[in-house]
Amino acid sequence: MDNHPLELTINGKTYKTAVEHRKTLADTIRENCDLTGTHVGCEHGVCGACTVIVDGKTVRSCLMFAHQAEGCKIRTVESLARGDELHPLQEAFIENHAIQCGFCTPGFLMLIIGAYENDPDITEENLIEVLSSNLCRCTGYQNIIKAVRSASGGLLAIGSDADA
Amino acid sequence: MSENITPNATFGKGVRRLEDRALVTGRGRYLDNLQPQGCLAVAFVRSPHAHATFQSIDTTSALTMPGVHAVLTIDDLMPVLTGRKLIVGLPSAAIELEVDRPILAGDEVVYVGEAICMVVADTRAQAEDAAEYVEIDFSPLDVVSDCSLAIKAGAPTVHRNLPHNRLAAFGFRYGEVEKAFSSAAHVVGDRYEVHRGGAHSLEGRGVLAMEDSLRGVLDVWSSTQTPLALKKALCELLGRDENTIRVEMPDVGGGFGPKLVTYPEEIAVAAASVLLARPVKWVEDRREHFIAAAQERDQIWDMQMAVDADGGILAIRGSMIHDHGAYTARGLNIAYGSGVTLPLPYNVGAYALDIEVVLTNKVPTAPIRGAGQPQAAFVMERLLDKAAGVVGLDRAEIRRRNLVRSDQMPCLKPLKLRGGTNVILDSGDYPATMKSALEQSDWAGFQVRQQQARKAGKFLGIGIANYVEGTGRGPYESVSVRVNRKGVIEVVTGAAAMGQGTETMIAQIVAEQLGGDLSIVRVKTGDTDNPLGFGGFNSRQTVTAGASAHAAAQKVRKLLLQMAGHILEASEDDLEILPGKVAIKGVSERCATFGEIATAAIGLPGFAIPVLDKPGISASEQVIINDMAYSNGSAVAEVEVDPDTGSVRIIAFTIAHDCGRMVNPKLVDGQIIGGIAHGLGNALYEKMIYDATAQPLTTTFADYLLVSASEMPPVTILHTESPSPLNELGVKGVGESGVIPTAPAIISAIDNALAGWNLHFNRAPLSPQDVYASLRSDSKGERA
Ligand code: FES
Ligand code: FES
């Protein structure tokens, strides 16, 4: 299992590294690029803790090989805040107590931001459907839904230029 | 405490959490985010058999694999260990068999997933590759998978050298049970089964150990709820003094019980790090969490309830079998807790329960959110539903007639806690709490709704369950509060934070006394430098750490006022504490800042310290509270059942609860809803399936279903605050409340929706297949 050179673009920054072909994008983001905000909760594509945005689509980075993401624009939770200023969705998560242990939180943030970027007028029903793709053991989801509702107006304004 | 409330009071407010900023920005310091230079990774070789012996472990091929540094068996670890076993069980005279977990299995494995040896390599992937090449000559033995079979005479034994599988037998008995049954108007009974499941914190367990040769200290980080217990075990098993081991708790991605147990893996990783003189890390993956982290809830109850003609409970009797798993990871506490809990919310004249704690060839059991209480509530509430039917009473009415009343408080129950202290329900108005849940859910108007829905072809049902949660397990937790030269309030506690907001909770209690500015409070949880403490379990920390935080903050408040009086040349009575400073009342610019006060209190060489008996603005407290504080509540579930598919949808869920005074209502709500989600899983979805040879079959989240956003009903929470008289703040715990009544309320609602079939579901979880099958097998059933 040899390492092969790899160049990843994450949050607008280029990371040059070398990893095995079998290494997942999640592990590579965490271990080779030192961006540990993306978490790994199951490694089999169900929990969504590893959700990141790749070329505008939310993906489970534990189900993608790092080499498959070469040449793509990858966004992780670390891209959301601007210095000290939090993204409105991050603010809303804090305000609505949508976080307990926080392990699922980065995945939910990226999931929701991806969903709103793809469909700014997403219906309540579709939103719940989207949220049900990630797991949280702590919050019982109610406050996550509340947070999204309270933030949805301000979401896209800040979200979309992060692709650059 | 009202006289102490400062103008900027923080106690009781739904303030933002101190923890959150780091967590939303991806800067949480979870165990696997710690990546020291040169850190090696561990993969454990685990038993594929539920029971087998082995003679040899051949590591030759594994050792030649790329990146591998070592393949270690228990014999390889022994040079740095003082013993082969991890002994952590709570003491009990009832325990007949000693089954402590080995650090790594020596020549026998007793459950699938038991660790046998560890491969240490540069990366986890390399370690896992090499683990495939470790060869072990297993001789499989007979297996006992089911606890009801394990207890039978002649059953194979879980451990080949033990005479039987009965780990312990004990029970509860008070009142004249037999007499009550012989005079009863009605006797109802059934066999109830509550099923085993996992905790499934989204972050699994994990441990990192590295020797710091400069300090001569072994640093250990673990995703644990009890860092002090881990430190104690490490000191014993590595034969080291307390000051040469430091245990740190990083951010923990959820606990829910199993992380309160100290595990063999934690010892093995630390030992490997010492042996190899390298940082070594192991992170539990999800499959390992499914097969090797403690589980809970398998219990089988054969129970009867005797009631009089008016539905008054005369007596309850029966027996319960508790599945202990293959080893003792904690003790008899779950089964004991179940037995104590069953009659608690109600006036039960007489009670007799015989408990057998039984070994099986499955992963050891230990508390999972609820810890025995959900099973007890399930059985009690199901019996009451049955009794209501026989007596001809509404299900809420039979409960109302039997609930412990407010005029009985404090109510001494004829039961003892496992440590020998009395069970005294400390406060609350249980009937009033239930009434508010009934009103909110429009229990009285449900029949009309049900009939209307029925006309439209829908089967609606409603169910209710009450609970009492024992919280605040003593004897104490440590909290120290210190004001530093910068005016920052530093709080250090042995309380452990697993995501509940412990830091915020403690900061609110402290800030309440000290000017109300949360932004200058820093809380360090999970401290292990002070050996006085226990950590997070049993919904104990708001009570125990809360009481100590309050007491310490009051002392610090006094010190601040004393020293400020000296600096400002004013009498203490003329001073007030404001955010970050002490000022003359009404003249806030005539003040001394916390920093100035602390600096004066620390002193200068050769100069006398004014006013204070001791230097520094600090206090450390361990308030002892032996009795438990009992939270209570009532849950009402409204469901729709589809008889054609057996599927169940929760339409609405109401919970009225009372956890004494609330430090932070937002956090309380969070705990309750999270608990309800877990309870919903226990009611309908979460099933840890083993086959007859104790092979676990559900080892992914695709097979074992956690509740997601779509299954979660809208939840209405009603608060009542009956202060606990047991601590000055009047607080009680709440971490496990939501989970306890949820399954019985839902199952009761399912019965009710299918009233025409006259069913009494006696187990949880209930899958659509189970419901469907019951509808088909019941000939009395009438169709829509
Ligand atoms: S870690 Fe990727 S979905 Fe769970
Ligand atoms: S906050 Fe803990 S898993 Fe979601």
Side-chain angles (χ1 to χ4, degrees), chain A residues 22 84 95 100-101 137, chain B residues 17 21 30 129 666 686:
Chain A
R22 65 172 172 175
D84 275 348
E95 187 55 36
Q100 288 187 27
C101 78
R137 189 54 148 174
Chain B
R17 302 198 323 167
R21 218 184 149 83
Y30 302 95
D129 288 344
K666 255 195 210 179
E686 294 184 37

Side-chain angles (χ1 to χ4, degrees), chain A residues 98-105 108 135-139 144, chain B residues 202 253-254 256:
Chain A
I99 311 161
Q100 288 187 27
C101 78
F103 200 77
C104 69
T105 307
F108 269 100
L135 294 175
C136 171
R137 189 54 148 174
C138 301
T139 65
I144 296 179
Chain B
L202 215 50
F256 312 114

Side-chain angles (χ1 to χ4, degrees), chain B residues 341 344-346 373 377 381 403 430 433 465-470 631-635 655-659 672 734 736-738 740-742:
Chain B
T341 301
L344 277 195
Y346 301 99
Q373 300 172 107
E381 299 297 317
L403 275 173
Y430 300 178
T433 306
N466 292 310
Y467 71 91
V468 166
E469 182 199 352
S631 294
N632 70 283
S634 307
I655 188 161
H657 82 101
D658 185 342
C659 62
I672 290 191
V734 70
E736 297 162 279
S737 283
I740 301 173
T742 301

Side-chain angles (χ1 to χ4, degrees), chain A residues 30-86:
Chain A
R30 293 176 45 78
E31 293 166 12
N32 299 69
C33 309
D34 269 337
L35 295 168
T36 53
T38 300
H39 298 152
V40 168
C42 70
E43 295 173 274
H44 52 248
V46 183
C47 77
C50 63
T51 305
V52 299
I53 298 178
V54 177
D55 282 347
K57 292 212 170 67
T58 47
V59 306
R60 295 175 188 251
S61 59
C62 74
L63 290 187
M64 189 170 188
F65 295 118
H67 281 280
Q68 290 177 294
E70 199 153 24
C72 301
K73 287 175 180 150
I74 302 163
R75 281 154 59 201
T76 68
V77 68
E78 285 89 350
S79 70
L80 298 180
R82 292 294 144 88
D84 275 348
E85 193 192 332
L86 296 182

Side-chain angles (χ1 to χ4, degrees), chain B residues 42 54 169 175 236 278 288 345 411 501 541 595 628 649 703:
Chain B
V42 170
F54 58 90
E236 274 166 24
R278 288 283 293 266
E288 289 180 297
C411 177
Q541 302 191 133
M628 291 182 85
R649 186 169 68 90
D703 310 301

